[in-house]
Amino acid sequence: MASLPYTLKLVIPFETSHHADIALQTLSPDPELKPDQLARAITISESSPSELVVEFLAVSDRVLRVGVNSMMDNLGLVAECLDELDIANFN
Amino acid sequence: MICYDISDKFPAPQEGRNYFVAIGLEGSANKLGVGIMLQQLPTKHTPVPRAQVLCNIRDTYITPPGEGFLPRDTARHHRNWVVRLIKRSLEESVLPAKMSGEVENRPIRVNDIDCICFTQGPGMGAPLQSVVLAARAISLMWKKPLVGVNHCIGHIEMGREITGALNPVVLYVSGGNTQVIAYSHQRYRIFGETLDIAVGNCLDRFARTLKIPNYPSPGYNIEQLAKNGKNFVELPYTVKGMDLSMSGILAYVDNLANEIFNEKSNSKLKYTTTGQKITPEDLCYSLQETIFAMLVEITERAMAHVNTNQVLIVGGVGCNERLQEMMKTMVVDRQGEIFATDESFCIDNGIMIAQAGLLSYREGITTNIKSSVCTQRFRTDEVFIKWRTN
């Protein structure tokens, strides 16, 4: 196992803990493509159940940037789904 | 390895209903499609009810002439549009009064939907992944199960539903896939396929060489140019048993095109044997005739193997009318029938995913969210076709 010295922690606040949980379940299944270069853990914050915490460990800052960028894109889509496609928004 | 949750119980329709509704999300290549399908339970009067398309919308990522679509950009297109397309599909779908039992037709509601179907593969990884995110999110928000669908099975099942073909040899030809398929013992079995690139990929890449527009699709534009082709230029013909090879033909015809465009070149290749200068139209015509002839040849052989006289053409290249015409000539000679659909069902779409997904769902097959990871490689014959017998 290569050492993964470059780290970043994202804390993303959601409106409710339910939304944070949906984001967790939506983002978790897809594995990182190069697990030996980039490790990623997605959890719910222990201090606040409506906060999603994403932690990255990477072999280089380049790999870290690519991984974080892709996560931000995905988070954007999940947030848009939560905002726009809630049952309450229809009929 | 794709994992499903298989229940030994068949799910019933929602209370007081005799029908199921599914939403399908497709995004394995440059088309993003959303469709909503309604399937009725059989009754005494209609033992085999036809599925009803409530909505079938698509947004295609078009690149400039000479450029193909790259995974990253295509994924971004899908991320940008998927929510809007899902919203529009719900707004446009109407539940007929005779289904809902209400006085008037009414717009569909989220709660009318039984399951969320998505393309799990095969296809380009990044676009698939961006669409499955939306599928997971709505599955959790709407509390509806997910159903992962094999893209090829989607094409086959939609083609069967629309045309009513019972047990055809299926020619599946698109930008990413080229397969001759026939059903046997609850699998769609691959009788022949391309050994390198897909037929549609060969056409798309030749369109790039000629710098012709990618709108509405490169294949369509080649088809229109080919109508004005006058000289047939001999190209390599590469059928290998039941399989095909396309990359050598592409390299050869690309090379010819480059000679024609190169003003300085005085190569003999620029002229036909009768001394006429070869045009891009001639090349389009010759390329189509050559590769379609190869497709017809292996399809005919597959028909002989499985002893059927029905042919169903599905996939994006399937809307090429010249291919349909050539296939028809062969099929008529064998006293058979040919089935094809128009571009709304041939070209990648969401409704076919809803159709195939609903067939799985009704057999008790769903996909757990943890197992809903997409895969770029997912062969047609990996899927257990529980909904068909014999």
Side-chain angles (χ1 to χ4, degrees):
Chain A
M1 182 86 187
S3 70
L4 303 169
Y6 294 84
T7 65
L8 187 79
K9 181 176 173 181
L10 300 173
V11 179
I12 304 107
F14 282 87
E15 279 181 23
T16 62
S17 60
H18 180 57
H19 279 184
D21 182 57
I22 288 176
L24 174 76
Q25 291 194 62
T26 302
L27 296 167
S28 301
D30 297 320
E32 285 297 334
L33 293 180
K34 289 174 181 161
D36 55 329
Q37 294 185 19
L38 180 70
R40 179 206 66 194
I42 312 176
T43 50
I44 300 286
S45 160
E46 280 174 24
S47 52
S48 162
S50 64
E51 280 179 355
L52 190 74
V53 180
V54 190
E55 287 169 285
F56 296 90
L57 303 169
V59 287
S60 68
D61 43 8
R62 196 183 64 86
V63 170
L64 184 64
R65 176 178 60 80
V66 171
V68 173
N69 270 347
S70 141
M71 176 57 66
M72 293 306 286
D73 287 340
N74 292 341
L75 274 164
L77 177 58
V78 174
E80 192 188 354
C81 286
L82 290 168
D83 285 343
E84 300 286 329
L85 298 175
D86 199 276
I87 299 187
N89 290 8
F90 298 100
N91 344 114
Chain B
M1 183 70 201
I2 302 287
C3 286
Y4 298 102
D5 290 350
I6 303 181
S7 156
D8 44 6
K9 289 194 207 92
F10 300 111
Q14 293 182 29
E15 180 141 2
R17 293 183 174 177
N18 66 344
Y19 60 90
F20 296 89
V21 178
I23 183 168
L25 310 181
E26 151 66 25
S28 60
N30 67 333
K31 285 97 180 170
L32 175 66
V34 178
I36 298 185
M37 181 64 104
L38 183 150
Q39 286 182 4
Q40 266 181 279
L41 290 177
T43 61
K44 220 182 275 173
H45 298 294
T46 43
V48 188
R50 301 300 291 267
Q52 293 180 45
V53 177
L54 301 186
C55 176
N56 182 21
I57 53 179
R58 180 193 303 136
D59 194 276
T60 307
Y61 172 58
I62 306 273
T63 47
E67 290 178 30
F69 54 92
L70 300 172
R72 233 173 71 100
D73 303 329
T74 312
R76 186 175 54 217
H77 166 269
H78 291 1
R79 270 199 308 274
N80 284 343
W81 286 94
V82 68
V83 170
R84 277 176 271 189
L85 228 53
I86 294 171
K87 254 184 133 165
R88 218 180 93 204
S89 73
L90 288 166
E91 285 159 8
E92 287 182 8
S93 295
V94 171
L95 191 65
K98 66 170 192 270
M99 289 292 143
S100 63
E102 291 166 31
V103 184
E104 282 182 359
N105 295 349
R106 64 161 173 85
I108 200 128
R109 298 186 188 122
V110 166
N111 277 330
D112 293 323
I113 293 169
D114 291 282
C115 61
I116 318 281
C117 312
F118 68 98
T119 311
Q120 200 160 11
M124 292 166 98
L128 281 169
Q129 196 259 344
S130 46
V131 176
V132 74
L133 284 179
R136 287 183 199 134
I138 60 175
S139 162
L140 290 163
M141 281 192 288
W142 300 352
K143 300 185 175 65
K144 308 286 180 191
L146 275 176
V147 184
V149 174
N150 178 303
H151 182 87
C152 316
I153 302 294
H155 273 295
I156 297 170
E157 290 304 341
M158 198 63 210
R160 289 208 313 133
E161 178 62 38
I162 293 295
T163 63
L166 283 177
N167 191 26
V169 163
V170 183
L171 177 67
Y172 170 31
V173 272
S174 70
N177 294 279
T178 302
Q179 298 179 336
V180 180
I181 302 157
Y183 175 82
S184 169
H185 291 83
Q186 302 198 293
R187 300 268 170 192
Y188 284 108
R189 293 173 202 270
I190 302 167
F191 277 70
E193 63 192 315
T194 178
L195 298 171
D196 38 57
I197 59 172
V199 171
N201 192 239
C202 180
L203 293 169
D204 291 354
R205 284 161 70 173
F206 185 58
R208 263 183 255 164
T209 306
L210 295 183
K211 300 260 190 319
I212 62 180
N214 288 323
Y215 178 84
S217 71
Y220 177 83
N221 294 331
I222 287 191
E223 185 181 352
Q224 302 317 311
L225 285 177
K227 287 178 181 165
N228 296 320
K230 291 187 181 67
N231 300 303
F232 180 76
V233 183
E234 199 158 327
L235 302 176
Y237 184 91
T238 43
V239 170
K240 318 231 169 198
M242 285 298 290
D243 296 327
L244 311 168
S245 167
M246 228 70 73
S247 62
I249 301 175
L250 176 63
Y252 187 92
V253 77
D254 268 351
N255 192 24
L256 277 181
N258 288 330
E259 290 287 336
I260 291 165
F261 287 131
N262 183 352
E263 294 297 327
K264 283 180 218 147
S265 151
N266 227 341
S267 156
K268 271 193 212 156
L269 293 173
K270 289 173 84 165
Y271 302 93
T272 64
T273 43
T274 54
Q276 284 175 292
K277 196 167 178 198
I278 297 170
T279 63
E281 285 82 356
D282 291 340
L283 289 182
C284 289
Y285 162 71
S286 309
L287 180 62
Q288 279 201 143
E289 296 298 305
T290 306
I291 59 182
F292 293 169
M294 289 161 49
L295 292 172
V296 171
E297 182 188 329
I298 61 167
T299 308
E300 182 169 22
R301 208 172 295 129
M303 287 169 77
H305 273 306
V306 297
N307 202 17
T308 174
N309 60 3
Q310 292 187 327
V311 174
L312 170 64
I313 308 182
V314 299
V317 183
C319 36
N320 188 301
E321 287 175 0
R322 179 60 188 146
L323 172 61
Q324 293 181 6
E325 186 187 340
M326 287 170 73
M327 192 64 75
K328 191 170 177 185
T329 310
M330 179 274 283
V331 173
V332 166
D333 275 351
R334 300 181 65 100
Q335 282 89 41
E337 288 173 287
I338 175 169
F339 300 90
T341 59
D342 68 15
E343 62 85 33
S344 60
F345 302 116
C346 251
I347 298 177
D348 289 351
N349 57 79
I351 198 73
M352 68 183 198
I353 301 303
Q355 168 69 10
L358 204 42
L359 291 171
S360 291
Y361 173 77
R362 290 176 62 179
E363 296 295 328
I365 304 170
T366 55
T367 302
N368 187 294
I369 196 157
K370 292 197 179 72
S371 313
S372 63
V373 180
C374 292
T375 163
Q376 305 205 67
R377 307 201 179 277
F378 185 3
R379 281 179 71 80
T380 314
D381 50 14
E382 280 177 48
V383 182
F384 179 60
I385 309 298
K386 205 179 165 194
W387 53 89
R388 286 188 69 176
T389 51
N390 68 29

